[in-house]
Amino acid sequence: MVDHYRSRRDELPFDETLDSPLDKLGPEAEVAQRERLAQLGRLVSDLDEEQRELLQLRLVAELNYRDIGEVVGSSEGAVKKALYRVLDQLRGRWAVADVRAQEESATEDANE
């Protein structure tokens, strides 16, 4: 079972998974969504391999905590804690990136 899920992770590209909801957006909203997805992709790529694997198993493969624990060789509680920390880290980085983007936008507006 473990080898099955580990081999599948290479078949589930992060970008393709995130791009699917763009089909229903207008052009301006699609550009904004693509920018947000690109930023999220950069933030996720900054995570270490183990953190990315946990996210992929939970969000892409949609495994429960117990099954993720079996795949990575950890307890269910350790997986919950690790995923909480990864998501909290991403939220924090997202907030910082969002503030920077707003500051850049304000600077560009002031220079016009």
Side-chain angles (χ1 to χ4, degrees):
M1 180 174 159
V2 171
D3 291 335
H4 169 73
Y5 288 112
R6 284 194 172 151
S7 67
R8 283 187 57 202
R9 76 172 181 229
D10 292 332
E11 298 172 14
L12 301 169
F14 187 73
D15 291 339
E16 286 181 20
T17 302
L18 293 177
D19 282 345
S20 59
L22 296 178
D23 300 343
K24 300 175 184 167
L25 300 176
E28 289 179 10
E30 184 176 332
V31 169
Q33 181 70 358
R34 284 193 186 278
E35 289 173 359
R36 287 189 296 270
L37 291 173
Q39 177 64 33
L40 181 59
R42 286 189 293 275
L43 294 174
V44 169
S45 70
D46 289 342
L47 298 172
D48 65 40
E49 187 176 336
E50 291 175 6
Q51 292 172 317
R52 285 192 308 270
E53 180 179 28
L54 287 174
L55 284 176
Q56 288 176 335
L57 292 171
R58 181 68 176 157
L59 302 175
V60 179
E62 298 180 347
L63 297 181
N64 61 40
Y65 298 115
R66 183 179 50 80
D67 290 342
I68 294 170
E70 289 179 22
V71 170
V72 299
S74 293
S75 69
E76 182 176 343
V79 168
K80 284 181 182 180
K81 185 179 236 180
L83 275 166
Y84 173 82
R85 288 179 176 167
V86 170
L87 291 171
D88 192 51
Q89 181 180 1
L90 282 175
R91 279 186 209 98
R93 290 179 179 181
W94 181 267
V96 169
D98 193 38
V99 167
R100 285 184 187 150
Q102 290 175 5
E103 289 172 351
E104 290 173 8
S105 179
T107 302
E108 288 174 6
D109 291 344
N111 291 334
E112 290 180 359

